[in-house]
Amino acid sequence: MPRANIELPEAIAYLSILDEQGRLDRELEPRIDEGLLLRLYRTMLLARRFDERLLSLQRQGRIGTFPPSSGQEAAHLGAVAVLEPDDWMVPAFRELAAELWRGRTLESVLLYNAGFNEGARIPPERNDLPISIPVGSQILHAVGIAWALRYRKTDRVAMVFFGDGATSQGDFHEGLNFAGVFSLPVVFVCQNNQWAISHPRSRQTRSRTLAQKALAYGIRGIQVDGNDLLAVYAAAGEAVARARAGEGATLIECVTYRLSVHTTADDPRRYRTDEEVEAWRRRDPLTRFQNYLAERGILSEEKIRGSEEEVGREIQQAVERAEEEMKRLADPLALFDHLWAEMPASLREQREEFIAAMSAPPREDRHG
Amino acid sequence: MPRANIELPEAIAYLSILDEQGRLDRELEPRIDEGLLLRLYRTMLLARRFDERLLSLQRQGRIGTFPPSSGQEAAHLGAVAVLEPDDWMVPAFRELAAELWRGRTLESVLLYNAGFNEGARIPPERNDLPISIPVGSQILHAVGIAWALRYRKTDRVAMVFFGDGATSQGDFHEGLNFAGVFSLPVVFVCQNNQWAISHPRSRQTRSRTLAQKALAYGIRGIQVDGNDLLAVYAAAGEAVARARAGEGATLIECVTYRLSVHTTADDPRRYRTDEEVEAWRRRDPLTRFQNYLAERGILSEEKIRGSEEEVGREIQQAVERAEEEMKRLADPLALFDHLWAEMPASLREQREEFIAAMSAPPREDRHG
Amino acid sequence: MAKRNLVQALNLALRQEMERDDRVIVLGEDVGRDGGVFRVTEGLIERFGEERVVDTPLAESAIVGASIGMAVAGLRPVCEIQFDGFTYYAMHQIESHAARLRWRSQGRHEVPLVVRAPYGGGVRALEHHSESREALWAHLPGLKTVIPSGPRNARALLVSAIRDPDPVMFFEPKALYRAFREEVPEAEETLPLGRSRVAREGTDLTLVAYGAMLRPTLEAAEELKRSRGAEAEVIDLLTISPLDDTLLVASARKTGRVAVVHEAPRSFGPGAEIVARLVEKAFYHLEAPVARVTGYDVIIPLFSRERYYLPDVPRIVQAAQRLLEAP
Amino acid sequence: MAKRNLVQALNLALRQEMERDDRVIVLGEDVGRDGGVFRVTEGLIERFGEERVVDTPLAESAIVGASIGMAVAGLRPVCEIQFDGFTYYAMHQIESHAARLRWRSQGRHEVPLVVRAPYGGGVRALEHHSESREALWAHLPGLKTVIPSGPRNARALLVSAIRDPDPVMFFEPKALYRAFREEVPEAEETLPLGRSRVAREGTDLTLVAYGAMLRPTLEAAEELKRSRGAEAEVIDLLTISPLDDTLLVASARKTGRVAVVHEAPRSFGPGAEIVARLVEKAFYHLEAPVARVTGYDVIIPLFSRERYYLPDVPRIVQAAQRLLEAP
Ligand SMILES: Cc1ncc(C[n+]2csc(CCOP(=O)(O)OP(=O)(O)O)c2C)c(N)n1
Ligand SMILES: Cc1ncc(C[n+]2csc(CCOP(=O)(O)OP(=O)(O)O)c2C)c(N)n1
Ligand SMILES: [Mg+2]
Ligand SMILES: [Mg+2]
């Protein structure tokens, strides 16, 4: 048989549980208790409204550039929902709902987006990494973390997020390959939101799916409807269970959409049509999840209104607290902090020089 | 159909035409005329004997470290044999037979391995790049060259070589992805020789084949018996024809074996068994090709002896000429050449400084 | 002559070079339909088509590595890395190939490649979007590192960079993209790479700067004139490497007092080389230690504190005053 | 005490630290069964197993990037990059994460990572195997760059680097791997990072060196004594960055005449920073321009001409003579 096809050990599946029309596959429906469902709903709503508020704060010049996440909440929240607190989440920069779920505060997000390094502070009880901007680079950190977790013989896992654009980076390839070779407990969650700034998914790679890239590494790959929280939850649950059981890594491609701008410096009208956005708006994960909960009888119009009000208040208070906090954080000497466990002599000298310069006579433009 | 397998557009094939037992698949046998077959044989033999000679020169301290290629001749020679002279070959560093086929001289190889930059000189009529040591990096150059060839509306192609180890590098991934997205006329030839120094293929990646990595890029992938010159020739011919016809890139995995050391600084007994080497020696591509030619009646014992003698003489003369040449190349000022189209002022000053220092009084250790 | 900001001036250079020479092609992330995240490549895809203005997948090593291949095969790629903070992804390609292929092929192949990237602070950007790491590139043999300081010289230098037969790292001071306009003629202008210029003549001290730091340095010079009647000579490097020290050295010999200003961290930064050159070539003329007014040896902070990191007029003036007061 | 060469001394450090602390793990290409291409990790896999001594696929960015993750999660990875010429593949990981994660997480996470790589010329190696590019790393805030000069200090510094809570680039002078032996005690020794040392005392001039250049520098000092009775003080930097200039400055103030010696290309090289520091802190004591005896601003040639590139005793002596003869 000199010319024959090579058998691939595993197929790439597509998973959808609750579709855009609200049709539910009862067999695949994950068992999630009501309390958890409501908490997920609350977080999704909070993230959505907060994202909207951030956008308006940015337009008012009260915070700087940031990457909105509206439309992608199911993809990232559904995934982290299966983690334990002492698992590790390694974010990219568009996982607001997931970060809030994992305990990041609204204030921290506000501070960060207002240009205060303090906004990147992570509470001691959480393991997660801060957001990572160099596209794809964080994938390797998750691989290393998973490695350390396995080395310590825990059954903890690492879950890392990245976009469709990130799959073109060398670090994506190297990370998935290491995860395959060392059979590491890591879950790779790709939020395929169809765009990398102005670059469409179709031109990011010629492979039919991103999920099938798993075949290059001998790891499990699955594509899910990323606007279907149930499907994401189910796929992530499976992947995490496999990882905990020592069965290795999974690549989950969540097919979703960025409803808003890439960042507030971006103008998406340059590269995509309103029709496209509208079509995806009809698949809004928040509405879909809300309908599901209503259907299950655990969410009413009234409850929704109540949640909206609560969330609105929470955001308003956070904004006020954060703006107070910013005033307290004015100390410029923070410039020199947190770079080293112990500040080297040469930097101490520069810090002294800085203090001297600051206290020198007229420096109007600085105290403005 | 909420959970379904995703159809992959293309399967990954395995190709073998002339197996280790000398069995030939006549249907697949490529039509190669006798003259070409004999030239290929001649080059293969020359490369093998030259490789052996290089090893002994290195052991005598007459040249420096180099990477032997014995055992892999069919894999790289079979591939370049389908190229036109004005196609581009982009080598890694273990494609001796292919380089000789493309017109590199024995002297040039000798000079290079003796530590003379002049050995990297490429004659004006050839397009090929010099060898590339940073593993995987050259893959991207071939992609760019192919791009330029397409841009200029020629039907020329680029063919690039790399090892199994290189497939783990980010540049491999990025290169194949670009080739897929832009549908470039490039042929990726992986010489999977089972080892990356001491690291076995099985630990380089968990995918069953390297060829199937093509699925991640939506390009054609094929695995061939890399010790079977006919199979490599056929697969490369197909890939080049596709590339010329504008049908895009192909990844060819040539399954082969490095019979010798990784480089002359390596001791393979540390990581592999004699049995393994012996098993592969029985699949020696040179013997296999020789038998095929004998079978076809175009090579006799006598002809073989004749070729051996010719090749021996050619090598001997080249060694002598190269050693002569080295004496003429002693000029240290070459240090400053070829870095810039126009030497910058600061470097001209350093060159003057160098000349002054060289002509300063006692510098015994330098004129040694 | 039309008044143009830096973005428009660079756009002019690209457009005209693309018109003049069909070997010039532009590639990078979002350079096509989006016109580049800073709009430097705006309108090019409409004019020259997708073959010459290429939106690439998100992979810096591939952008540069493929460009090297193109350059070797006779094109003149101008690739954009979206921010200088992402150039490191391609460092192995640049160090090991772009800067070496001429040398590695004994002159047979050349790499007429331009890598454009915005650099520096001052635009309230995200993390990794405000660095100034030109020293890394300046140290690499075989590579040119060019940093313009205003629209007119940016346009002329970019034209020269594109025509240069060797690879050029072309760092654009993003703080200046829309900061001011200058007359930039439609008619061709070039400026030789590897040459500094005197941006302001003076006799009492020398201030060396480049890129976005030139403006505060010139302002500081005016301030020094106002406050103490001192005339500072200001040298604008334009090309960081290979560093042409002729003007520097001449100026230092004349004034004896020199400060160098840059955004990059101080230690092992570009200023060190300037000090070293002056010591080598003007030592006996120096009347005071050469001063470095630079970024600190830290990561440039997120934008709320960025102004404390960046050298500004008061810091430059203070350093100059100390120089002038040196015995 | 046993006499050990540099390879053995480094091996001792790794072995003992791995015994002492099970968070220490070694990873890289060929570090396991092969014992490393220079045999620095020889015997470790036999002793500590495949979990702690990991042969990785061929991918430098992954080796470093995964090590960053390990370090954040509490391990103390020591990763080997086979040659310094391949460290660039991981530069984005090191600049953007290793050196910043403490800062980026406001102190919550630390990256106790050591990246070992042989550097420098002198072993008749292939292209890309003889560079000396420490200046690139020295410029990055948040990163330490350490270069030992002999077996004993190499062992002590590697131990300190492994225990250090911050990331360290640890460049090993490959020319010294088997060049000579020193007494290296079995008993624990550490040396603080960020401190230079006086390798030879002297009063007439100061020679600054590190790594493989220390030996020719010391020989040059002896030669100067023999030929002109001049006593050179020799400073061995040990840590390149953050640069501790205390000893340098003290010595320059004493002798007034300084030369710095390194293999790296001169322009924007480590020597520039040393000159700049001396100008800042010892200007009025300098009696002659600080000299730089360095590699030229070219690619180090293939090995047949390598010796013309590398600074050697005669070049150091010549420079020193000029210093001594300065008015
Ligand atoms: C290495 C690198 N290159 C470029 C950028 C600039 N940039 C920021 S986000 C982005 C697109 C990312 O696309 P994708 O991975 O799909 O994530 P998304 O933004 O869609 O969430 C680019 C190009 C960057 N941050 N890092
Ligand atoms: C980027 C890089 N890392 C490490 C090396 C050192 N090195 C040279 S060859 C080699 C193994 C290459 O394996 P493979 O790609 O399978 O090619 P082969 O040597 O087997 O032909 C290594 C690690 C290198 N040259 N480049
Ligand atoms: Mg995206
Ligand atoms: Mg191999």
Side-chain angles (χ1 to χ4, degrees), chain D:
Chain D
M1 286 217 283
K3 288 251 191 194
R4 298 178 216 259
N5 65 24
L6 185 60
V7 167
Q8 294 162 332
L10 293 165
N11 185 271
L12 177 68
L14 290 170
R15 179 163 57 73
Q16 291 188 332
E17 285 306 290
M18 290 184 81
E19 269 160 9
R20 179 176 172 275
D21 184 349
D22 72 359
R23 296 172 306 169
V24 178
I25 91 158
V26 163
L27 69 164
E29 295 157 15
D30 308 294
V31 297
R33 265 166 86 188
D34 204 35
V37 290
F38 285 105
R39 308 288 176 246
V40 173
T41 54
E42 179 140 41
L44 297 181
I45 196 167
E46 289 78 6
R47 187 148 185 151
F48 299 104
E50 292 189 354
E51 293 279 295
R52 296 189 64 194
V53 183
V54 186
D55 276 319
T56 68
L58 208 171
E60 284 76 12
S61 179
I63 292 169
V64 173
S67 294
I68 291 171
M70 288 179 178
V72 164
L75 302 188
R76 304 205 149 235
V78 181
C79 60
E80 175 174 310
I81 301 295
Q82 223 158 60
F83 287 89
D84 121 292
F86 310 128
T87 53
Y88 322 126
Y89 281 75
M91 184 165 242
H92 60 290
Q93 285 292 343
I94 295 171
E95 199 277 350
S96 308
H97 295 294
R100 285 183 186 232
L101 258 164
R102 175 189 296 284
W103 179 87
R104 292 217 288 111
S105 65
Q106 293 280 295
R108 170 67 178 78
H109 293 303
E110 56 182 26
V111 185
L113 162 70
V114 180
V115 179
R116 293 181 39 244
Y119 89 98
V123 302
R124 295 168 56 91
L126 295 165
E127 198 198 341
H128 308 287
H129 289 67
S130 300
E131 280 74 12
S132 183
R133 297 269 185 272
E134 58 281 6
L136 304 182
W137 308 101
H139 185 49
L140 299 183
L143 194 65
K144 295 187 168 117
T145 300
V146 172
I147 304 187
S149 60
R152 186 162 182 174
N153 62 40
R155 186 282 197 104
L157 287 166
L158 183 54
V159 170
S160 300
I162 293 171
R163 297 185 191 175
D164 197 275
D166 287 314
V168 178
M169 299 297 293
F170 193 89
F171 290 114
E172 300 164 4
K174 70 172 86 66
L176 303 186
Y177 270 147
R178 294 168 193 284
F180 63 99
R181 288 163 184 271
E182 274 177 359
E183 300 288 344
V184 180
E186 193 67 24
E188 168 170 320
E189 278 194 339
T190 62
L191 264 178
L193 306 188
R195 291 265 219 305
S196 309
R197 73 185 179 103
V198 176
R200 182 187 196 279
E201 296 202 4
T203 45
D204 299 322
L205 80 164
T206 304
L207 301 174
V208 182
Y210 55 90
M213 287 296 112
L214 183 68
R215 292 234 294 175
T217 304
L218 286 170
E219 276 177 50
E222 291 308 316
E223 170 64 27
L224 287 165
K225 176 168 187 168
R226 257 195 316 274
S227 63
R228 1 165 104 224
E231 289 292 356
E233 182 143 297
V234 177
I235 309 281
D236 181 7
L237 289 184
L238 298 178
T239 294
I240 310 306
S241 174
L243 181 66
D244 168 35
D245 52 37
T246 326
L247 291 181
L248 286 180
V249 168
S251 185
R253 287 187 176 162
K254 179 168 71 179
T255 66
R257 294 162 203 270
V258 186
V260 45
V261 185
H262 59 66
E263 292 179 48
R266 181 173 309 160
S267 292
F268 302 90
E273 180 61 25
I274 291 172
V275 177
R277 294 283 179 100
L278 294 177
V279 165
E280 281 159 3
K281 298 184 170 178
F283 181 74
Y284 297 103
H285 297 82
L286 292 178
E287 287 169 40
V290 183
R292 293 190 285 176
V293 185
T294 66
Y296 302 101
D297 292 353
V298 299
I299 310 288
I300 182 169
L302 297 195
F303 69 81
S304 78
R305 293 191 181 89
E306 191 182 26
R307 67 185 183 283
Y308 299 116
Y309 172 90
L310 294 171
D312 56 9
V313 177
R315 266 171 76 192
I316 302 167
V317 169
Q318 276 180 27
Q321 282 168 343
R322 272 193 301 270
L323 276 176
L324 290 168
E325 285 154 17

Side-chain angles (χ1 to χ4, degrees), chain A residues 72 93-94 133-135 162-166 169 191 193 195-197 258 262, chain C residues 29-30 58 60 82-83 86 89 129:
Chain A
Q72 302 184 206
F93 45 75
R94 207 184 295 285
I133 289 176
V135 169
F162 49 89
D164 43 312
Q169 285 283 18
Q191 296 198 77
N193 65 2
W195 293 94
I197 310 187
R258 154 168 69 74
H262 166 72
Chain C
E29 294 157 15
D30 308 294
L58 208 172
E60 284 75 14
Q82 224 159 58
F83 286 89
F86 310 128
Y89 281 75
H129 288 67

